[in-house]
Amino acid sequence: MSGTSEKPTREERLAAKLRENLRRRKARSRATGSQSGDGVAQPPQNAPLPNGGADR
């Protein structure tokens, strides 16, 4: 904002909402990622290969 007591513009309000949304998403991601150990999503143990398992 410009430092005065003016109402924030639409752009400033949207930017503030985006920042808050990003903070919440990061916090949620950290919380769920910390449960798996290192914060990196791991595929299931017996997941099929993306190409159907065909080994050429």
Side-chain angles (χ1 to χ4, degrees), residues 38-52:
D38 60 0
V40 177
Q42 298 294 324
Q45 290 290 356
N46 297 324
L49 296 174
N51 64 358

Side-chain angles (χ1 to χ4, degrees), residues 9-48:
T9 64
R10 180 176 185 268
E11 184 176 334
E12 290 169 331
R13 288 192 313 270
L14 289 173
K17 284 183 181 182
L18 285 172
R19 285 192 300 270
E20 183 57 34
N21 187 21
L22 181 60
R23 274 190 223 110
R24 276 197 308 267
R25 290 176 60 192
K26 282 179 141 181
R28 186 179 305 141
S29 178
R30 281 192 297 267
T32 58
S34 65
Q35 292 174 359
S36 68
D38 60 0
V40 177
Q42 298 294 324
Q45 290 290 356
N46 297 324

